[in-house]
């Protein structure tokens, strides 16, 4: 065999092999093709290697290099095809309809009111607040007296109370936690107190006899109304969005002085007035104020040394408006079809 | 409090729109909840602009093109001579009802269609101007509400007055604030300028006095610090003058007659409730302020007969109570059409007593509302004189006697306001002069007091809410405006309060239970319950649920039933909340718990599992173990079979303490419902004992938070494990746990795992037995176990269970 005849058969193999390899549809076919191409007994490469020996010595070098190159190409193609066939064999033993649903687990959900509380807690945590709790069955002194409510005064009419005994109430607000915390821990105090509170209000679309409140309290030396404004405005921007505008209106709570109510600009009408904000352009968010010196004194603190501010908000109202829930009773019914809408 | 914009302007000619007054009051005084036009009939009218106009031949009419802001020009026929192209007029769209009652409709006039009406002042009820349609000098766009560009009629300003500011429950009170904020001087309304001069002198006394033939008496000055009366003769009861009727109606009242309207004028104008008695109908010529006697009765003005008691204050004539002091007059001495001689009462009653009285009779009136919160005792004699003169004027009578018992309260205690303290509380330095000016503007007497610019502040008689320095600081803050205070966020020291452990537990449990596919609920804690076992609410909202729950599962079970009535059978609910039980301590025992309820399918339907199995006791057991591990981290949790009497399946034990239970719940359920299981776990008591006595604290006694021991790392094995199964025939009387305990003990230190993986009853297993199979894994830490060693273990285990429990292997 001449060198040119030999090289022609090498090129013939180089031309045939890729198509042969690509045509294999199963691993069995692939094995047969592999044997035919590079098999040790009768493979075409093996034949060429054998034929190489018969070439003139000066031609061996060039022919050998070419055969090795073709062999490497064929082996690479075989490996790739093998991998592809194996992958196909694994997946497609039965045809897979990948449009069918995955196997799910039940999903749980946090109550929408708790979700609002979480967000409030999250924002104040960044500012160094920790969580304090207190009892729901509370003494009248903690619920009223320590909070500077005058006995038998119209201010009490703002808190229609459920009584458990002469001096025992279901707390009407989370503010008793202020006094308990100040009695237990020395300033600086920076706490949030989430919890349930009770009013003698019959269920209607916007009232419930028990609802959640989040109380906030800061007491230290040098705490000012400006801090209150700054912190609560910051909260509003984090909670409602960076462009949120706030305003503070004078208000009255026996346990704060000065007292204020914080509104945010209505996001629906942007202040022009609409049904959501009752045409006022503002949405009431929380009540706040500087802790009344009488409250600090009730907790045994020197009201000249320490000042503080506090706020209270009702997360249920936020939950109702943000989700468009028309009736507060829906939050208590616990219909699983409702709860499942609040999967987060 | 309803404030008439026009009436307010007569007290303080502020020259501001209702909107401006609303914003001013809301920012500085009290929130204005709304503005109500007292010409609601003019609300639908808009500004219309004439774009083109041509005469209709042989008529006085014009045919006009009007822009009403709707985007479409309207063709409108008009009979007025003054229609000018480009000018703006009040426009009534079709469908608008005119003040006279006519409804504007689309109609044809002389072959021209008219879609609305351009209006004259007379047609709008704004006067008798006949000169044609009302030209509006305004830059407002067509379509703008007419009332916005042509404020017409009075506007009612609804102010939310909070309990600390009874001085705002009158026009004069609100006017004082407007005067302070605008700098416009307060004045007497013009309608009071021409009152007849009083000739009778005021008879003064302590507890008794006589004037105009009437003797008044106060039984106890503690109940009634001041009582004044005027006797007015020659009165003619009739309709009120227009200004008086307008004033009464502006605040939402109904004009009755000149006498009654005048008393209402004093109440709403000055915040002084007064009462007019018909002198001829009094039993004798005396009025006495005294406690009611047990058994006395009184028919009040509303026609109700009321039985009185000594905790109520009354005005009695010579024979019997004739008015409920500070609350409501009596029918017996009510003024009528034929009244000619009137006794006008102007008094100050003890707020707490009025509160007691009105609560006892269940009757809140405009008068009691003001007396309860406190009237301006310093203005009583002024009110007596204005009231007497006003009644005399509107009724055409003559004041024949004035009497005033008691004295105006002495000046209020001085409050010291230090500018340094103002800065310390507000975070903004306010100059002493500005502080003084602001406090003076609301009626305080301010004088310099001592060093550092301190001010001695004497509040006016009408302010009951300025007792301490901080009250003065609040005045400064609100009068300057909260918006003027800085609001840059400052750094702060970290607090000393650790997170409450029950909150930490709540968050961990909530995450775990949500991951288990459960929904958090926040139900009401009221249950039917029983007095003996449950805490009772003294004044419950519902008589069928007067108690507080002892268990969270009581609430969850009701919520599951609610879902069943709505055909929802797949229910997974949980709550972390409080339960209560009676206690001999000052307050009920309160405890925080977590509970979960599962019912229905264990998984959602999938095509590979068309009918998923329902939750069973084993699911509940595993969930209970998981909850206990999360709730009591670090504790050794075991579940043991609960005693028969408890009705529960298991009780949950953490570190030898029973902390909860797992039970199948008996629900009021339809037949298709699957069984419901409940798990309830105690998290901890919520202490409610006082932290410290009033006016003291217990700092320094707080204990540091318990820290959990960290998990110790275990080196992973490097030697292979040997595994085999043991199938044992276990009599029903022997618990699987007992068998497993023997296996673990006999398996020794090399037994790595021992898992029960099968239970079988039936063919090949004798009655009274079951086949239980365990998979056991052995491993030596240093070498591979030999076949022979493993076989030896198997034999050891079999002989151990046989000798100890008489349990034998199941032979296939
Ligand atoms: Zn709005």
């Amino acid at each position: 065999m001449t060198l040119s005849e030999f090289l022609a058969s090498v090129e013939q193999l180089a031309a045939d092999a890729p198509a042969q390899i690509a045509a294999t549809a199963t691993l069995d076919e692939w094995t047969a093709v592999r044997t035919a191409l590079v098999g040790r007994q009768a493979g075409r490469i093996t034949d060429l290697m054998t034929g190489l020996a018969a070439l003139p010595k000066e031609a061996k070098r060039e022919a050998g290099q070419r055969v090795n190159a073709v062999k490497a190409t064929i082996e690479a193609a075989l490996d790739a095809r093998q991998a592809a066939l194996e992958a196909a064999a694994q997946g497609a033993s039965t045809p897979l309809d990948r449009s069918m649903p995955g196997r799910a687990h039940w999903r749980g959900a946090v109550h929408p009111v708790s979700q609002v509380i979480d967000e409030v807690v999250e924002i104040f945590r960044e500012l160094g607040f920790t969580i304090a709790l207190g009892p729901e069955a509370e003494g009248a002194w903690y619920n009223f007296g320590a909070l500077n409510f005058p006995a038998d005064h119209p201010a009490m009419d703002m808190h229609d109370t459920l009584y458990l005994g002469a001096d025992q109430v279901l707390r009407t607000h989370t503010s008793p936690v202020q006094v308990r915390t100040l009695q237990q821990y020395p300033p600086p105090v920076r706490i949030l107190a989430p919890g349930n509170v009770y009013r003698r209000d019959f269920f209607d679309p916007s009232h419930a006899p028990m609802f959640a409140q989040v109380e906030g309290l800061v007491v230290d030396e040098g705490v000012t109304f400006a801090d209150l404004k700054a912190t609560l405005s910051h909260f509003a921007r984090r909670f409602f969005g960076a462009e949120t505008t706030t305003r503070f209106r004078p208000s009255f709570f026996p346990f704060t002085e000065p007292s204020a109510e914080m509104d945010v600009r209505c996001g629906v009408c942007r202040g022009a007035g609409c049904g959501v904000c009752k045409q006022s352009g503002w949405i009431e968010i929380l009540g706040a104020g500087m802790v009344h010196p009488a409250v600090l004194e009730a907790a045994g603190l020197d009201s000249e040394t320490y000042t503080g501010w506090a706020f209270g908000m009702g997360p249920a109202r936020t939950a109702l408006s943000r989700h468009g829930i028309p009736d507060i009773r829906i939050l208590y019914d616990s219909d699983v079809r409702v709860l499942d809408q609040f999967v987060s | 409090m309803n404030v008439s914009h026009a009436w307010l302007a007569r007290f303080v000619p502020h020259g501001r729109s209702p909107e401006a007054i609303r914003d001013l009051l809301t920012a500085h005084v009290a929130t204005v909840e709304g503005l109500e036009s007292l010409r609601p009939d003019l609300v639908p009218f808009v500004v219309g602009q004439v774009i083109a106009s041509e005469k209709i031949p042989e008529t006085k009419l014009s045919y006009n093109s009007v822009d009403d802001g709707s985007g479409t020009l309207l063709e409108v026929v008009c009979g007025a001579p003054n229609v000018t192209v480009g000018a703006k007029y009040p426009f009534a769209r079709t469908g608008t009802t005119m003040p006279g009652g006519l409804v504007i409709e689309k109609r044809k006039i002389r072959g021209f269609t008219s879609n609305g009406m351009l209006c004259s002042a007379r047609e709008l009820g704004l006067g008798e101007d006949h000169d044609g349609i009302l030209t509006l000098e305004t830059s407002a766009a067509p379509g703008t509400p007419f009332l916005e560009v042509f404020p017409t009629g009075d506007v009612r300003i609804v102010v939310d007055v909070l309990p600390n500011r009874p001085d705002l429950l009158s026009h004069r009170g609100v006017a004082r604030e407007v005067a302070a904020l605008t700098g416009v001087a307060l004045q007497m309304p013009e309608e009071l300028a021409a009152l007849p001069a009083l000739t009778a002198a005021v008879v003064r006394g302590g507890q008794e006095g006589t004037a105009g033939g009437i003797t008044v008496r106060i039984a106890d000055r503690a109940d009634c610090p001041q009582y004044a009366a005027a006797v007015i003769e020659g009165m003619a009861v009739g309709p009120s003058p227009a200004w008086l009727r307008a004033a009464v109606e502006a605040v939402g009242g109904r004009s009755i007659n000149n006498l009654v309207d005048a008393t209402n004028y004093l109440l709403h104008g000055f915040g002084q409730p007064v009462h007019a008695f018909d002198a001829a109908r009094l039993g004798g010529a005396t009025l006495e302020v005294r406690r009611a006697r047990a058994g006395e009765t009184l028919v009040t003005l509303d026609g109700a007969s009321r039985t009185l008691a000594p905790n109520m204050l009354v005005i009695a004539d010579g024979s019997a109570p004739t008015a409920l002091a500070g609350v409501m007059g009596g029918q017996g001495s009510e003024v009528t059409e034929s009244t000619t001689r009137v006794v006008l009462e102007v008094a100050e009653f003890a707020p707490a007593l009025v509160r007691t009285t009105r609560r006892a009779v269940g009757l809140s009136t405009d008068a009691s509302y003001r007396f309860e919160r406190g009237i301006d005792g310093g203005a009583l004699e002024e009110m007596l004189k204005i009231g007497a003169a006003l009644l005399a004027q509107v009724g055409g009578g003559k004041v024949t006697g004035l009497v005033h018992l008691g004295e105006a309260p002495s000046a209020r205690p001085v409050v010291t306001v230090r500018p340094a303290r103002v800065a310390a509380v507000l975070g903004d330095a306010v100059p002493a002069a500005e502080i003084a000016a602001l406090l003076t503007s609301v009626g305080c007497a301010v004088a310099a007091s001592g060093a550092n610019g301190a001010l001695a502040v004497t509040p006016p008689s009408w302010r009951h809410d300025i007792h301490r320095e901080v009250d003065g600081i609040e005045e400064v803050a609100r009068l300057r405006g909260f918006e003027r205070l800085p609001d840059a966020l400052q750094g702060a020291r970290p607090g000393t309060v650790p997170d409450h452990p029950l909150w930490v537990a709540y968050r961990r449990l909530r995450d775990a239970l949500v991951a288990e596919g459960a929904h958090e609920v926040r139900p009401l804690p009221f249950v039917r319950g029983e007095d003996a076992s449950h805490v009772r609410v003294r004044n419950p909202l519902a008589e069928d649920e007067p108690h507080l729950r002892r268990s969270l599962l009581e609430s969850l079970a009701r919520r599951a039933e609610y879902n069943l009535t709505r055909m929802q059978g797949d229910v997974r609910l949980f709550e972390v909340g409080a339960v209560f039980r009676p206690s001999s301590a000052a307050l009920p025992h309160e405890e925080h718990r977590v509970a979960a309820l599962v019912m229905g399918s264990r998984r959602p339907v999938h095509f590979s599992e068309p009918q998923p199995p329902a939750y069973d006791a084993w699911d509940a057991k595993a969930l209970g173990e998981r909850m206990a591990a999360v709730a009591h981290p670090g504790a050794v949790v075991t579940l043991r079979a609960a005693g028969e009497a408890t009705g529960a399946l298991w009780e949950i034990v953490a570190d030898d303490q029973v902390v909860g239970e797992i039970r199948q719940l008996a629900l009021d359920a339809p037949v298709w419902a699957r069984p419901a299981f409940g798990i309830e776990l105690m998290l901890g008591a919520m202490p409610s004992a006082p932290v410290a006595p009033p006016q003291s604290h217990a700092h320094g006694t707080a204990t540091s938070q318990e820290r959990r021991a960290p998990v110790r790392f275990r080196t992973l094995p490097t030697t292979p494990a040997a595994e085999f199964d043991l199938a044992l025939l276990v009599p029903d009387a022997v618990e699987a746990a007992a068998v497993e305990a023997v296996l673990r003990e006999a398996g020794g230190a090399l037994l790595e795992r021992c898992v029960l993986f099968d239970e079988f009853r039936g063919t090949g297993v004798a009655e009274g037995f079951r086949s239980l199979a365990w998979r056991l894994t052995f491993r030596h830490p240093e070498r591979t176990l030999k076949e022979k060693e493993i076989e030896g273990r198997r034999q050891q285990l079999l002989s151990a269970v046989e000798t100890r429990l008489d349990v034998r292997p199941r032979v296939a």
Side-chain angles (χ1 to χ4, degrees):
Chain A
M1 198 188 286
T2 65
L3 175 62
S4 60
E5 284 169 342
F6 182 83
L7 287 178
S9 55
V10 172
E11 296 314 320
Q12 182 64 48
L13 174 59
D16 296 348
Q20 265 184 292
I21 293 166
T24 59
T26 66
L27 281 168
D28 286 347
E29 284 176 30
W30 176 86
T31 307
V33 168
R34 193 182 76 107
T35 307
L37 292 173
V38 297
R40 271 186 217 153
Q41 303 299 315
R44 287 171 67 182
I45 286 286
T46 314
D47 289 352
L48 286 170
M49 289 296 192
T50 312
L52 199 60
L55 285 181
K57 191 176 175 191
E58 64 280 4
K60 274 183 187 165
R61 184 183 157 84
E62 186 191 350
Q65 282 178 349
R66 184 61 193 144
V67 171
N68 279 326
V70 171
K71 185 185 175 199
T73 310
I74 290 174
E75 281 177 339
L78 282 167
D79 287 350
R81 187 62 191 161
Q82 183 189 25
L85 288 171
E86 277 172 357
Q90 266 180 9
S93 53
T94 52
L96 180 68
D97 177 353
R98 283 175 284 179
S99 70
M100 290 166 79
R103 190 179 286 117
H105 192 276
W106 289 125
R107 24 175 230 181
V110 174
H111 192 276
V113 169
S114 302
Q115 292 188 22
V116 175
I117 296 174
D118 284 0
E119 284 176 45
V120 175
V121 166
E122 195 73 17
I123 293 166
F124 281 96
R125 274 229 177 278
E126 294 167 3
L127 301 173
F129 285 67
T130 52
I131 309 297
L133 301 177
E136 293 174 23
E138 186 54 284
W141 185 74
Y142 278 109
N143 197 77
F144 294 122
L147 293 167
N148 196 38
F149 278 77
D152 201 29
H153 186 268
M156 301 276 283
D157 296 348
M158 295 159 79
H159 292 236
D160 219 343
T161 308
L162 287 166
Y163 285 90
L164 303 177
D167 291 318
Q168 308 170 21
V169 301
L170 284 168
R171 67 177 178 191
T172 58
H173 46 179
T174 40
S175 307
V177 182
Q178 289 189 26
V179 183
R180 288 183 174 273
T181 304
L182 291 174
Q183 284 190 315
Q184 192 167 358
Y185 299 98
V189 163
R190 292 171 77 74
I191 56 145
L192 285 189
N196 290 328
V197 304
Y198 299 79
R199 299 281 169 93
R200 200 168 185 282
D201 274 337
F202 290 93
F203 254 142
D204 71 24
S206 53
H207 293 89
M210 180 204 81
F211 51 95
Q213 233 178 34
V214 181
E215 189 88 6
L217 173 71
V218 173
V219 172
D220 199 357
E221 295 174 30
V223 174
T224 69
F225 196 95
D227 294 328
L228 174 160
K229 263 186 81 178
T231 312
L232 294 179
S233 298
H234 167 82
F235 162 72
R237 287 189 296 270
R238 292 274 283 108
F239 193 83
F240 295 103
E243 68 294 341
T244 302
T245 310
T246 51
R247 76 169 182 186
F248 290 81
R249 283 180 284 120
S251 189
F252 167 67
F253 308 102
F255 42 99
T256 53
E257 187 87 7
S259 300
E261 215 116 16
M262 185 178 83
D263 300 337
V264 298
R265 182 80 78 185
C266 176
V268 175
C269 62
R270 307 203 170 276
C274 69
V276 172
C277 56
K278 295 189 207 133
Q279 308 305 326
S280 72
W282 297 92
I283 308 267
E284 187 181 319
I285 297 303
L286 50 81
M290 296 302 288
V291 179
H292 198 289
V295 175
L296 297 172
E297 289 153 14
L301 294 181
D302 177 1
S303 62
E304 184 71 13
T305 305
Y306 296 108
T307 47
W309 59 267
F311 75 90
M313 68 177 287
R317 211 154 18 140
T318 304
L320 293 183
S321 70
R322 72 153 54 155
H323 298 298
I325 301 171
D327 189 320
I328 198 168
R329 288 171 287 198
I330 291 170
L331 295 175
Y332 298 81
D333 287 341
S334 316
D335 189 311
V336 293
R337 293 166 299 177
V338 171
L339 298 172
D340 202 48
Q341 295 173 25
F342 300 101
V343 169
S344 42
Chain B
M1 167 73 195
N2 289 338
V3 176
S4 148
H5 179 254
W7 195 351
L8 184 68
R10 297 202 295 275
F11 272 109
V12 52
H14 51 72
R16 283 162 173 80
S17 69
E19 288 78 13
I21 294 295
R22 172 193 64 196
D23 294 346
L24 195 68
L25 293 176
T26 298
H28 299 280
V29 184
T31 300
V32 172
E33 289 179 330
L35 299 176
E36 294 168 8
S37 169
L38 296 181
R39 282 298 305 272
D41 52 334
L42 296 183
V43 167
F45 293 82
V46 297
V47 174
Q49 185 172 29
V50 174
I51 303 301
S53 178
E54 49 187 280
K55 289 275 169 211
I56 300 177
E58 297 164 29
T59 67
K60 289 188 196 165
L61 304 176
S62 59
Y63 188 56
N64 310 286
S65 210
V66 174
D67 180 359
D68 73 337
S70 64
T72 314
L73 293 184
L74 300 172
E75 302 306 318
V76 176
V77 176
C78 183
N82 62 332
V83 179
T84 309
V85 171
K88 295 170 183 169
Y89 306 99
F91 180 66
R93 292 170 172 147
T94 55
T96 302
T97 305
M98 298 301 292
L102 177 76
V103 178
I104 301 299
E105 284 162 356
K106 181 172 173 170
R107 59 190 187 118
K108 276 215 185 279
I109 302 165
R110 299 265 174 143
F112 292 89
T113 306
S114 188
N115 301 287
M117 186 166 117
L118 296 165
C119 307
S120 69
R122 190 167 59 151
E123 283 158 341
L124 295 177
L126 296 174
E128 295 299 314
D129 190 348
H130 285 271
D131 292 345
I133 53 178
L134 177 63
T135 306
L136 299 174
E137 304 292 343
T138 175
S139 58
T144 304
F146 167 71
L147 282 176
E148 274 182 31
V149 302
F150 197 93
T152 301
D154 200 359
V155 172
R156 185 180 298 153
I157 304 167
V158 183
V159 186
D160 183 15
V161 176
L162 294 172
N164 63 326
R165 292 295 305 273
D167 62 298
L168 297 177
L169 293 171
S170 74
H171 283 73
R172 178 157 76 172
V174 175
R176 279 190 188 113
E177 294 284 332
V178 173
L181 291 164
T182 59
V184 178
L186 196 67
Q187 65 183 32
M188 269 295 166
E190 59 194 12
E191 60 265 27
L192 301 182
L195 291 183
L198 297 173
T199 49
V202 178
V203 176
R204 297 201 172 77
Q207 285 185 256
E208 190 174 313
T210 302
I214 300 284
T215 298
V216 293
R217 193 178 302 125
I218 303 174
D220 186 345
R221 285 273 296 279
D223 291 349
C224 175
Q226 297 184 76
Y227 196 89
V231 181
I232 311 149
E233 319 218 3
M235 296 288 281
V237 175
S240 289
W243 67 265
L244 182 54
R245 191 166 60 238
V248 169
E249 287 171 354
V251 297
R254 192 167 57 87
S255 175
I256 312 266
N257 59 44
N258 51 359
L259 250 169
V260 174
D261 290 357
T263 62
N264 279 324
Y265 181 95
L266 290 167
L267 182 130
H268 294 286
F270 295 92
Q272 174 66 52
V274 299
H275 182 69
F277 297 94
D278 183 338
R281 300 180 68 196
L282 291 173
T286 62
L287 285 176
E288 184 183 19
V289 188
R290 63 161 169 86
R291 297 297 184 103
R293 296 174 188 129
E296 281 182 327
T297 58
L298 173 67
V299 178
T300 41
L301 285 177
D302 55 359
S305 174
R306 302 178 185 277
T307 305
L308 308 178
N311 62 346
M312 303 177 188
L313 194 67
V314 297
I315 315 298
D317 60 18
S319 50
T322 191
L324 216 44
V327 181
M328 191 178 266
Q331 227 170 35
S333 54
E334 182 182 8
V335 292
T336 66
E337 303 280 292
S338 52
T339 299
T340 58
R341 184 160 175 253
V342 170
V343 181
L344 178 71
E345 166 196 289
V346 182
E348 178 188 13
F349 300 110
L353 195 52
V354 173
R355 184 171 164 80
T356 309
T357 306
R358 74 102 176 138
R359 285 213 290 202
V361 296
L363 189 68
S364 183
T365 60
D366 283 339
S368 71
Y369 195 84
R370 285 164 177 77
F371 280 124
E372 253 188 81
R373 283 158 179 74
I375 58 148
D376 178 5
L380 203 84
E381 199 163 301
E382 180 197 12
M383 289 299 100
L384 174 71
K385 289 173 178 168
I386 291 177
L390 181 61
L391 258 70
Q393 187 198 49
V394 300
K398 182 170 170 25
V399 178
T400 58
L402 295 166
V403 57
H404 179 189
L405 305 183
E407 289 129 32
S410 48
R412 295 182 177 280
V414 170
V415 175
T416 303
V417 175
R418 298 162 294 168
R421 192 65 185 168
V422 174
V425 171
L426 299 183
D428 198 12
V430 184
E434 188 181 348
I435 295 170
L438 290 169
L439 292 170
T440 306
S441 75
V442 290
C444 294
V446 180
S449 157
N452 301 322
L455 303 170
V457 178
T458 309
S461 59
W462 59 85
R463 290 298 297 270
H464 307 302
D465 61 324
I466 303 176
H467 309 286
R468 301 181 59 144
E469 184 175 31
V470 71
D471 301 319
I473 295 174
E474 176 172 62
E475 293 302 297
V476 171
R478 72 173 181 89
L479 291 167
R480 284 179 88 228
F482 289 161
E483 79 282 354
R484 279 180 62 190
L485 291 171
D487 62 356
L489 210 50
Q490 307 282 330
R493 298 201 285 167
T496 60
V497 186
D499 275 336
H500 199 286
L502 288 173
W503 176 262
V504 177
Y506 160 63
R507 291 300 298 261
R508 289 168 51 95
L509 282 158
R510 205 183 71 185
D511 288 350
L513 286 161
V514 168
E516 292 283 344
H519 294 117
E520 187 192 14
V521 297
R522 304 181 67 106
L524 295 185
F526 304 114
V527 296
R528 178 167 297 142
E530 284 167 20
D531 282 358
S533 53
H534 290 70
V535 176
R536 188 185 177 88
V537 179
R538 292 276 182 96
N539 51 343
L541 284 151
E543 281 304 332
D544 59 340
E545 288 189 337
H547 294 102
L548 295 176
R549 63 187 175 187
R550 285 190 62 127
S551 149
L552 298 182
L553 286 176
E554 291 182 72
S555 300
L556 294 188
R558 298 295 86 76
R559 295 299 97 212
E561 286 166 353
Y562 177 91
N563 275 283
L564 288 171
T565 63
R566 279 153 183 76
M567 310 306 288
Q568 301 303 308
D570 289 334
V571 178
R572 303 166 308 284
L573 305 175
F574 76 92
E575 186 191 356
V576 178
V579 299
F580 309 84
R581 62 170 193 266
S583 159
S584 56
L587 285 166
H589 179 78
E590 182 171 337
E591 186 178 292
H592 272 221
R593 293 187 179 181
V594 58
L597 178 152
V598 291
M599 170 172 70
S601 296
R602 205 184 287 169
R603 289 182 287 277
V605 168
H606 187 252
F607 62 82
S608 62
E609 191 180 41
Q611 282 182 317
Y615 281 106
D616 63 16
W618 306 113
D619 294 305
K621 188 178 185 191
L623 186 56
E625 282 172 323
R626 168 116 183 79
M627 286 163 63
V630 175
H632 299 276
V636 177
V637 172
T638 52
L639 267 62
R640 55 185 194 221
E644 197 86 354
T646 64
L649 291 165
W650 291 279
E651 54 188 25
I652 302 170
V653 181
D655 284 346
D656 302 327
Q657 294 266 9
V658 176
V659 294
E661 62 171 31
I662 300 170
R663 60 171 61 238
Q664 183 167 349
L665 299 170
L667 300 188
D668 183 3
V671 287
W672 52 263
R674 316 299 291 268
F677 297 90
I679 300 126
E680 181 155 5
L681 266 172
M682 189 176 98
L683 299 176
M686 174 60 80
S688 55
V691 177
Q695 321 301 324
S696 67
H697 62 71
H699 295 167
T701 60
T703 50
S704 67
Q705 296 271 104
E706 211 175 299
R707 297 197 64 86
R708 282 174 65 196
V711 169
R712 297 302 302 177
F713 170 73
R714 284 191 309 264
T715 310
L716 296 180
T718 53
T719 54
E723 202 172 82
F724 60 83
D725 296 346
L726 276 186
L728 303 173
L729 286 171
V730 181
D732 286 347
V734 176
E735 285 189 342
V739 179
E740 189 168 313
V742 171
L743 290 176
R744 285 186 184 277
E745 192 192 323
L750 299 187
L751 177 61
E752 190 177 271
R753 290 204 310 150
C754 174
V755 179
L756 176 69
F757 72 91
D758 189 39
E759 181 187 34
F760 176 77
R761 290 173 198 268
T763 320
V765 178
E767 191 73 18
F769 286 83
R770 61 239 159 100
S771 165
L772 295 178
W774 277 267
R775 179 158 298 154
L776 299 119
T777 307
F778 287 90
R779 193 195 303 269
H780 192 288
E782 277 139 25
R783 61 182 176 80
T784 306
L785 289 167
K786 300 195 187 85
E787 276 300 319
K788 248 168 66 182
E789 287 177 295
I790 296 162
E791 185 50 32
R793 298 269 164 192
R794 176 196 286 275
Q795 294 307 326
Q796 272 175 25
L797 295 177
L798 288 175
S799 94
V801 293
E802 186 170 343
T803 49
R804 305 263 297 273
L805 298 169
D806 198 23
V807 165
R808 283 156 222 279
R810 177 184 178 200
V811 185

